[in-house]
Amino acid sequence: MMRIILLGPPGAGKGTQAQFISKEFDIPQISTGDMLRAAIKEGSELGKQAKDIMNAGGLVSDDLIINLVKERIAKPDCANGCIFDGFPRTIPQAQALADADVAINHVVEISVPDDEIVNRLSGRRQHPNSGRVYHIHHNPPKQEGIDDVTGEALIQREDDKESTIRDRLATYHEQTSALVGFYQEKAEEGDDAPKYNKFDGTQGIDDVKQQILSALKG
């Protein structure tokens, strides 16, 4: 059983590393949004509750999210474990997960400074019709601001503007970064506690991948 929580700011590379981990250990990557959509589509009792709350413009409670997690990890594809991506987001969610006896084996933090995150994300440019993505530094188009294939203009998505990124990072530091301390303390509680490992996300993708996989297998 390999249940892993991935922590790190938006743009740190969690999604990329989650794909490597998923393939290596044959475990699914689970996000809160995916769980909610799947439960609503299946029409499960929890899905119906979530749909009613969301249709009324409300926020799905932590209790309901935890129950969705328990329902999701009981499915056959989670027999070997799973990767939680973007969950838990807060200390109450993490505590609720522990109180529900959902065992976690590893917590992986990918650390990247805010300025590097801003550089990574604000440099992205997209061709709206095809979804092709460029980066002004790392993967620039042949002609600045122009899609290589169609010759049409590229755009900067609202999510990729510096002010938006800074707001998202502030939210992360306010809410989610507290989980670092929470799980670091948990890691000291004994053999049954989740192992905690922190990795420098400014390294090359393959370097980060090898270090994470080595730690998970260790």
Side-chain angles (χ1 to χ4, degrees):
M1 179 68 70
M2 182 74 76
R3 289 198 189 128
I4 302 160
I5 289 174
L6 279 178
L7 296 179
K14 297 191 300 296
T16 300
Q17 295 301 330
Q19 291 174 11
F20 295 140
I21 298 168
S22 176
K23 185 176 180 181
E24 183 72 24
F25 296 103
D26 190 25
I27 55 177
Q29 180 181 351
I30 296 173
S31 74
T32 307
D34 289 343
M35 278 191 305
L36 282 168
R37 284 187 289 272
I40 291 169
K41 186 176 180 181
E42 289 171 9
S44 70
E45 189 57 41
L46 291 172
K48 290 174 185 174
Q49 290 177 38
K51 185 177 182 181
D52 288 344
I53 292 167
M54 291 163 73
N55 284 347
L59 291 172
V60 178
S61 69
D62 287 349
D63 285 345
L64 183 51
I65 292 291
I66 296 298
N67 285 328
L68 279 168
V69 168
K70 292 170 74 174
E71 184 177 80
R72 177 67 185 87
I73 63 178
K75 294 185 182 297
D77 65 334
C78 290
N80 295 330
C82 62
I83 306 161
F84 292 109
D85 182 10
F87 177 85
R89 288 186 183 276
T90 63
I91 296 289
Q93 286 181 350
Q95 189 59 59
L97 202 60
D99 293 343
D101 293 326
V102 177
I104 302 297
N105 307 103
H106 291 272
V107 178
V108 172
E109 180 193 357
I110 302 176
S111 176
V112 180
D114 284 5
D115 286 344
E116 173 65 18
I117 295 290
V118 171
N119 178 53
R120 285 182 183 184
L121 300 185
S122 65
R124 293 196 297 203
R125 299 292 183 270
Q126 186 176 52
H127 179 240
N129 292 333
S130 69
R132 272 186 294 278
V133 177
Y134 300 85
H135 193 284
I136 58 174
H137 300 302
H138 308 304
N139 179 36
K142 293 172 185 172
Q143 184 180 346
E144 185 179 344
I146 301 296
D147 178 50
D148 288 350
V149 179
T150 64
E152 295 170 345
L154 301 175
I155 63 165
Q156 183 182 38
R157 297 186 318 153
E158 197 63 38
D159 281 355
D160 292 337
K161 292 183 177 175
E162 180 169 349
S163 59
T164 307
I165 298 164
R166 296 277 183 195
D167 287 344
R168 290 170 64 198
L169 287 169
T171 300
Y172 170 77
H173 291 306
E174 182 182 332
Q175 294 184 343
T176 315
S177 64
L179 291 170
V180 170
F182 179 88
Y183 281 113
Q184 282 175 338
E185 288 181 14
K186 281 275 183 194
E188 298 173 2
E189 289 180 4
D191 294 339
D192 293 334
K195 293 185 176 69
Y196 192 97
N197 291 102
K198 179 177 180 177
F199 301 93
D200 178 3
T202 64
Q203 303 174 93
I205 290 172
D206 283 340
D207 291 333
V208 178
K209 170 188 171 183
Q210 295 305 326
Q211 290 170 23
I212 290 176
L213 293 181
S214 176
L216 292 177
K217 291 175 181 178

